[in-house]
Amino acid sequence: GTGTQITGLAEGATTVQVRQTDAAGNVSPVATLNVTVDTAAPAAPSLALESDTGVSASDSITSNGTINITGLETGASWQYSLDGGTTWLDGSGTQITGLADGVYAIQVRGLDTAGNVSPVATLNVTVDTAAAAPGLALESDTGVSASDGITSNGTINITGLEAGASWQYSLDGGTTWLDGSGTQITGLAEGANTVQVRQTDAAGNVSPVATLNVTVDTAAPAAPSLALESDTGASASDGITSNGTINITGLETGASWQYSLDGGTTWLNGSGTQITGLAEGANTVQVRQTDAAGNVSPVATLNVTVDTAAPAAPSLALESDTGASASDGITSNGTINVTGLEAGASWQYSLDGGTTWVDGSGTQITGLAEGANTVQVRQTDAAGNVSPVATLNVTVDTAAAAPGLALESDTGMSASDGITSDGTINVTGLEAGASWQYSLDGGTTWLNGSGTQISGLAEGANTVQVRQTDAAGNVSPVGTLNVTVDTAAAAPGLALE
């Protein structure tokens, strides 16, 4: 050899022996060195996910951030970098573990026993170890509040889905899971539904289950029922009343209701189960209910006439006041005319001071008893309002007795022969307030009597007729008295027999 080095050893294992010969020609013992020459870089390692849990087995998306390293030469070491080769960390065993969630470009290189560094192997990996629960909400919560879960539209919007995730839903408490499509669930059954939704992200992570309780009600409720609290009219169904309160029935639990008094132009919110304060006169009342899901019922209608004012008292008058004046209330005709009755009103009368009321008919009261009567009349209008009472005092007198006639002095042979020298006749049996008349010519001429006597009868035979007209105008039968008036006696004649 020359110099102090041996170069150019062949690749592979070599046994090198060296000896020296000194200047005197002496040869040393042989020195031996076994050398393996390795100048070739090892092949790049192979990298693979221990478990590619993504949608496909080759998308490098996983919920298990363990990477298996293969293809390492025997005895080689290896390093890996997670920052694009800036920093190299010594690997151990044949795995990289503990990767946090995120996106990685993982680089690995091998170092063989000769110190040769392999090419760098790279694996792009997305580690995702958890999926969030989706968000569930009704597309339209039509119920009383925006959060009561009651709706007439059974469509549920799904939010919070990760890119690339699939999702499933269950309507039977998790027993059966159906694949979801798009971002909505539709076609929920009428009634109460418990909707469960989960998503499976691109890494295969299954999210917690999101739950939404939904009540689907797509059917309109029945129209409410309307009735007057008190139909005070002539019948219980004529819609005429003095009490303008309407009872609302048939309301669903949780429903609200509205009413309109202007033909549906304006709807007012109802409260409780009554409508009060209707205006006087004709009212058309419309009512509808809105159930807890927002469905609106058909409209119920009730025609009501409110009349709270009492009618005026009727007017009473004798059909014929036959008494001495047209206003004395004395009559021989006990018929009373009733006027001032409202259309549709009924009327009643009492003859005993209001203790008993009798239904009137037509427009007259007839058949009053003989004597003094206090007649009371009231009317009840179509709404049941009762008028003030009208009163009329009436004296009914339908007959007058014939007067009594007698000579003031019957001077004749007997007290009853009707022969008198005093032509004065006493008239008795006259009713209080009556007038009387007499006739001396057989009823052809009637003269008004005065006081209680007739005087000045003519000499001779007289037929005296007397009648009285009582205060009610009744004319009595005629009383008759035959009288002979003789006020002078002739001198007798005298002669000798």
Side-chain angles (χ1 to χ4, degrees), residues 92-252:
S92 173
T94 58
Q95 289 183 325
I96 299 171
T97 60
L99 294 180
D101 281 15
V103 177
Y104 297 91
I106 300 174
Q107 294 174 299
V108 177
R109 66 188 179 188
L111 290 85
D112 64 17
T113 55
N116 298 298
V117 179
S118 75
V120 174
T122 301
L123 182 65
N124 293 313
V125 175
T126 299
V127 178
D128 182 0
T129 59
L136 307 183
L138 282 169
E139 182 175 58
S140 177
D141 189 318
T142 60
V144 175
S145 77
S147 60
D148 58 10
I150 301 174
T151 186
S152 59
N153 172 9
T155 297
I156 298 175
N157 289 333
I158 316 298
T159 57
L161 295 173
E162 291 186 8
S166 62
W167 60 278
Q168 303 80 39
Y169 66 97
S170 177
L171 302 176
D172 59 5
T175 301
T176 306
W177 288 93
L178 305 173
D179 288 332
S181 174
T183 57
Q184 290 185 324
I185 299 171
T186 59
L188 293 183
E190 197 82 2
N193 293 268
T194 297
V195 182
Q196 293 176 296
V197 176
R198 67 189 182 191
Q199 64 175 317
T200 302
D201 65 16
N205 298 298
V206 179
S207 74
V209 174
T211 301
L212 183 66
N213 292 313
V214 176
T215 299
V216 178
D217 181 359
T218 60
S225 296
L226 311 184
L228 282 168
E229 182 175 59
S230 177
D231 189 320
T232 59
S235 77
S237 59
D238 59 9
I240 302 175
T241 186
S242 59
N243 172 8
T245 297
I246 297 175
N247 289 333
I248 315 297
T249 56
L251 296 173
E252 285 192 6

Side-chain angles (χ1 to χ4, degrees), residues 435-439 445-451 453-454 467 469:
S435 62
W436 58 279
Q437 303 81 38
Y438 65 95
S439 176
T445 304
W446 290 92
L447 304 173
N448 288 325
S450 173
Q453 289 183 330
I454 300 171
R467 67 188 183 192
T469 303

